[in-house]
């Protein structure tokens, strides 16, 4: 039986489907304490029960992006704040090679906010 979360990925057209599944894998590989759930119809990744990031696609361009929940805490030139006060997004082109090192750096920076205690987790 296909879960609602699995269906998020399965119903996407290529190349977005492969791109989102690759991003999912990269996120989950960053730390054993990262879990995946679904919130607001999107895959949500948590670190020790604290929201870390989401995967989604842009409503206008249909391109995938990673939404960093606590984006306001770090400054990375490729993160877009838009009209958000807390979150920032990292856009990904499904037709190009993924910038894996950049994605990993952003995710590790976000994880470090929790690991150092700057942001509290629910241990």
């Amino acid at each position: 039986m296909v879960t609602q979360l699995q269906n998020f990925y399965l119903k996407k057209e290529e190349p977005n489907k492969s791109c989102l599944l690759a991003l999912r894998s990269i996120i989950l590989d960053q730390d054993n304490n990262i879990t995946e759930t679904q919130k607001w119809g999107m895959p949500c990744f948590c670190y020790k029960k604290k929201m870390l990031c989401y995967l989604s696609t842009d409503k206008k361009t249909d391109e995938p992006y990673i939404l960093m929940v606590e984006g306001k805490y770090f400054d990375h030139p490729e993160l877009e704040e838009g009209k958000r006060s807390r979150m920032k997004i990292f856009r990904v082109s499904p037709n190009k090679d993924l910038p894996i090192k950049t994605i990993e750096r952003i995710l590790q920076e976000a994880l470090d906010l929790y690991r150092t205690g700057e942001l509290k987790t629910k241990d």
Side-chain angles (χ1 to χ4, degrees):
M1 188 169 125
V2 176
T3 66
Q4 194 176 357
L5 180 56
Q6 290 168 325
N7 203 37
F8 172 86
Y9 299 103
L10 296 175
K11 70 181 182 183
K12 298 293 182 193
E13 297 288 324
E14 290 296 352
N16 282 356
K17 182 192 295 185
S18 296
C19 181
L20 288 162
L21 287 168
L23 290 170
R24 175 186 185 268
S25 181
I26 293 167
I27 293 166
L28 290 171
D29 286 348
Q30 297 307 303
D31 192 287
N32 289 334
N33 291 304
I34 295 176
T35 56
E36 183 181 21
T37 186
Q38 189 171 27
K39 292 182 191 271
W40 302 291
M42 300 181 287
C44 176
F45 299 88
C46 301
Y47 176 75
K48 295 185 176 181
K49 300 183 180 160
K50 194 81 170 158
M51 291 185 298
L52 176 68
C53 63
Y54 289 87
L55 284 179
S56 193
T57 52
D58 188 285
K59 287 180 178 67
K60 291 179 184 154
T61 66
D62 198 40
E63 287 194 335
Y65 64 85
I66 303 171
L67 180 100
M68 302 304 300
V69 174
E70 299 296 350
K72 71 176 182 181
Y73 285 96
F74 50 98
D75 192 30
H76 190 281
E78 294 187 57
L79 285 174
E80 296 176 28
E81 188 174 338
K83 295 178 181 168
R84 301 169 197 85
S85 59
R86 176 180 176 196
M87 303 177 183
K88 292 183 181 179
I89 66 168
F90 181 80
R91 294 182 187 275
V92 180
S93 171
N95 298 308
K96 295 181 182 172
D97 288 344
L98 290 176
I100 294 172
K101 294 287 182 222
T102 302
I103 294 167
E104 289 177 339
R105 197 172 17 239
I106 290 169
L107 290 167
Q108 287 299 322
E109 198 171 329
L111 286 165
D112 284 344
L113 293 171
Y114 297 113
R115 292 178 184 139
T116 61
E118 190 171 334
L119 293 174
K120 302 294 180 213
T121 59
K122 299 173 184 170
D123 281 341

